[in-house]
Amino acid sequence: MATLRERKNYREAILKALYEATEGNRLLGVTGPKLRDELRIPRQDLAAACAYLAGEGLVSVDWEQGNTPAMVSLTHQGIRLMESAEEERG
């Protein structure tokens, strides 16, 4: 099981990867296996992070059997959060 710091890092990494891959387009998404492989997040931790982010209204998730994210997309609120973070970085 991941530590609190790891869980927060996983969530941030997922949001950043989604934002970069979709260029802020909420009609596009990334498959769960691709996120897991690119970010090297264990399967159960990816599912937990996606469930958390979905609960916060930042992503939408299409789930496969066994609580596995099939497709993950940013919501409008998730895009706004990432755009705000991008503006802060300059």
Side-chain angles (χ1 to χ4, degrees):
M1 188 69 170
T3 66
L4 176 60
R5 181 183 197 109
E6 288 171 327
R7 291 191 307 266
K8 286 183 174 185
N9 287 339
Y10 291 155
R11 294 175 203 149
E12 273 185 45
I14 290 167
L15 289 173
K16 184 177 178 186
L18 287 171
Y19 185 67
E20 289 174 358
T22 64
E23 297 179 347
N25 184 339
R26 63 186 272 198
L27 299 176
L28 301 175
V30 177
T31 66
K34 184 173 180 177
L35 282 173
R36 187 181 66 241
D37 293 345
E38 286 184 4
L39 301 175
R40 298 179 181 216
I41 298 175
R43 186 180 312 260
Q44 72 182 37
D45 292 328
L46 176 66
C50 287
Y52 180 94
L53 293 169
E56 293 293 308
L58 300 174
V59 302
S60 63
V61 183
D62 294 330
W63 296 96
E64 291 180 348
Q65 276 186 307
N67 274 347
T68 302
M71 182 65 69
V72 186
S73 305
L74 286 171
T75 62
H76 180 73
Q77 185 174 343
I79 292 168
R80 289 182 58 204
L81 175 73
M82 296 308 295
E83 286 175 346
S84 177
E86 186 176 9
E87 285 177 344
E88 287 178 13
R89 287 190 302 269

